[in-house]
PDB file of all heavy atoms in Angstrom:
ATOM      1  N   VAL A  95       8.778   5.758 -19.434  1.00  0.00           N
ATOM      2  CA  VAL A  95       8.215   4.560 -19.801  1.00  0.00           C
ATOM      3  C   VAL A  95       8.653   3.546 -18.603  1.00  0.00           C
ATOM      4  O   VAL A  95       9.754   3.329 -18.472  1.00  0.00           O
ATOM      5  CB  VAL A  95       8.703   4.143 -21.103  1.00  0.00           C
ATOM      6  CG1 VAL A  95       8.102   2.704 -21.455  1.00  0.00           C
ATOM      7  CG2 VAL A  95       8.312   5.124 -22.233  1.00  0.00           C
ATOM      8  N   ILE A  96       7.516   3.016 -17.999  1.00  0.00           N
ATOM      9  CA  ILE A  96       7.729   2.160 -16.888  1.00  0.00           C
ATOM     10  C   ILE A  96       7.581   0.720 -17.147  1.00  0.00           C
ATOM     11  O   ILE A  96       6.572   0.223 -17.711  1.00  0.00           O
ATOM     12  CB  ILE A  96       6.913   2.582 -15.665  1.00  0.00           C
ATOM     13  CG1 ILE A  96       7.140   4.046 -15.343  1.00  0.00           C
ATOM     14  CG2 ILE A  96       6.950   1.711 -14.553  1.00  0.00           C
ATOM     15  CD1 ILE A  96       6.165   4.725 -14.296  1.00  0.00           C
ATOM     16  N   GLY A  97       8.671  -0.103 -16.832  1.00  0.00           N
ATOM     17  CA  GLY A  97       8.632  -1.505 -17.027  1.00  0.00           C
ATOM     18  C   GLY A  97       8.636  -2.207 -15.624  1.00  0.00           C
ATOM     19  O   GLY A  97       8.393  -1.606 -14.647  1.00  0.00           O
ATOM     20  N   ASP A  98       9.035  -3.380 -15.634  1.00  0.00           N
ATOM     21  CA  ASP A  98       9.305  -4.186 -14.389  1.00  0.00           C
ATOM     22  C   ASP A  98      10.536  -3.822 -13.810  1.00  0.00           C
ATOM     23  O   ASP A  98      11.635  -4.025 -14.242  1.00  0.00           O
ATOM     24  CB  ASP A  98       9.321  -5.658 -14.784  1.00  0.00           C
ATOM     25  CG  ASP A  98       9.255  -6.534 -13.543  1.00  0.00           C
ATOM     26  OD1 ASP A  98       8.670  -6.104 -12.450  1.00  0.00           O
ATOM     27  OD2 ASP A  98       9.960  -7.639 -13.694  1.00  0.00           O
ATOM     28  N   ARG A  99      10.376  -3.035 -12.668  1.00  0.00           N
ATOM     29  CA  ARG A  99      11.544  -2.604 -11.813  1.00  0.00           C
ATOM     30  C   ARG A  99      12.460  -1.519 -12.623  1.00  0.00           C
ATOM     31  O   ARG A  99      13.527  -1.451 -12.054  1.00  0.00           O
ATOM     32  CB  ARG A  99      12.494  -3.828 -11.382  1.00  0.00           C
ATOM     33  CG  ARG A  99      11.738  -4.859 -10.505  1.00  0.00           C
ATOM     34  CD  ARG A  99      12.500  -6.070 -10.220  1.00  0.00           C
ATOM     35  NE  ARG A  99      13.872  -5.790  -9.929  1.00  0.00           N
ATOM     36  CZ  ARG A  99      14.458  -5.489  -8.753  1.00  0.00           C
ATOM     37  NH1 ARG A  99      13.691  -5.425  -7.689  1.00  0.00           N
ATOM     38  NH2 ARG A  99      15.732  -5.344  -8.642  1.00  0.00           N
ATOM     39  N   ILE A 100      11.870  -0.944 -13.687  1.00  0.00           N
ATOM     40  CA  ILE A 100      12.777   0.030 -14.297  1.00  0.00           C
ATOM     41  C   ILE A 100      11.858   1.028 -14.915  1.00  0.00           C
ATOM     42  O   ILE A 100      10.831   0.728 -15.320  1.00  0.00           O
ATOM     43  CB  ILE A 100      13.609  -0.676 -15.379  1.00  0.00           C
ATOM     44  CG1 ILE A 100      14.604   0.276 -15.928  1.00  0.00           C
ATOM     45  CG2 ILE A 100      12.853  -1.166 -16.491  1.00  0.00           C
ATOM     46  CD1 ILE A 100      15.724  -0.356 -16.762  1.00  0.00           C
ATOM     47  N   ALA A 101      12.404   2.334 -14.865  1.00  0.00           N
ATOM     48  CA  ALA A 101      11.718   3.409 -15.608  1.00  0.00           C
ATOM     49  C   ALA A 101      12.724   4.093 -16.486  1.00  0.00           C
ATOM     50  O   ALA A 101      13.934   4.180 -16.094  1.00  0.00           O
ATOM     51  CB  ALA A 101      11.167   4.475 -14.679  1.00  0.00           C
ATOM     52  N   ARG A 102      12.398   4.414 -17.669  1.00  0.00           N
ATOM     53  CA  ARG A 102      13.334   4.925 -18.628  1.00  0.00           C
ATOM     54  C   ARG A 102      12.777   6.176 -19.295  1.00  0.00           C
ATOM     55  O   ARG A 102      11.567   6.249 -19.522  1.00  0.00           O
ATOM     56  CB  ARG A 102      13.611   4.003 -19.845  1.00  0.00           C
ATOM     57  CG  ARG A 102      14.662   4.450 -20.788  1.00  0.00           C
ATOM     58  CD  ARG A 102      14.791   3.359 -21.878  1.00  0.00           C
ATOM     59  NE  ARG A 102      16.127   3.501 -22.568  1.00  0.00           N
ATOM     60  CZ  ARG A 102      16.421   4.546 -23.377  1.00  0.00           C
ATOM     61  NH1 ARG A 102      15.605   5.504 -23.407  1.00  0.00           N
ATOM     62  NH2 ARG A 102      17.547   4.589 -23.984  1.00  0.00           N
ATOM     63  N   THR A 103      13.563   7.205 -19.406  1.00  0.00           N
ATOM     64  CA  THR A 103      13.079   8.476 -19.880  1.00  0.00           C
ATOM     65  C   THR A 103      12.970   8.249 -21.405  1.00  0.00           C
ATOM     66  O   THR A 103      13.822   7.515 -22.048  1.00  0.00           O
ATOM     67  CB  THR A 103      14.096   9.575 -19.675  1.00  0.00           C
ATOM     68  OG1 THR A 103      15.352   9.381 -20.277  1.00  0.00           O
ATOM     69  CG2 THR A 103      14.312   9.864 -18.292  1.00  0.00           C
ATOM     70  N   SER A 104      12.018   8.877 -22.029  1.00  0.00           N
ATOM     71  CA  SER A 104      11.717   8.662 -23.459  1.00  0.00           C
ATOM     72  C   SER A 104      11.376   9.984 -24.023  1.00  0.00           C
ATOM     73  O   SER A 104      10.360  10.192 -24.856  1.00  0.00           O
ATOM     74  CB  SER A 104      10.572   7.688 -23.562  1.00  0.00           C
ATOM     75  OG  SER A 104      10.335   7.551 -24.980  1.00  0.00           O
ATOM     76  N   GLY A 105      11.965  11.071 -23.422  1.00  0.00           N
ATOM     77  CA  GLY A 105      11.827  12.471 -23.978  1.00  0.00           C
ATOM     78  C   GLY A 105      11.747  13.424 -22.772  1.00  0.00           C
ATOM     79  O   GLY A 105      11.069  13.172 -21.899  1.00  0.00           O
TER      80      GLY A 105
END
Side-chain angles (χ1 to χ4, degrees):
V95 178
I96 298 174
D98 184 35
R99 299 176 36 90
I100 191 167
R102 186 180 197 295
T103 62
S104 180

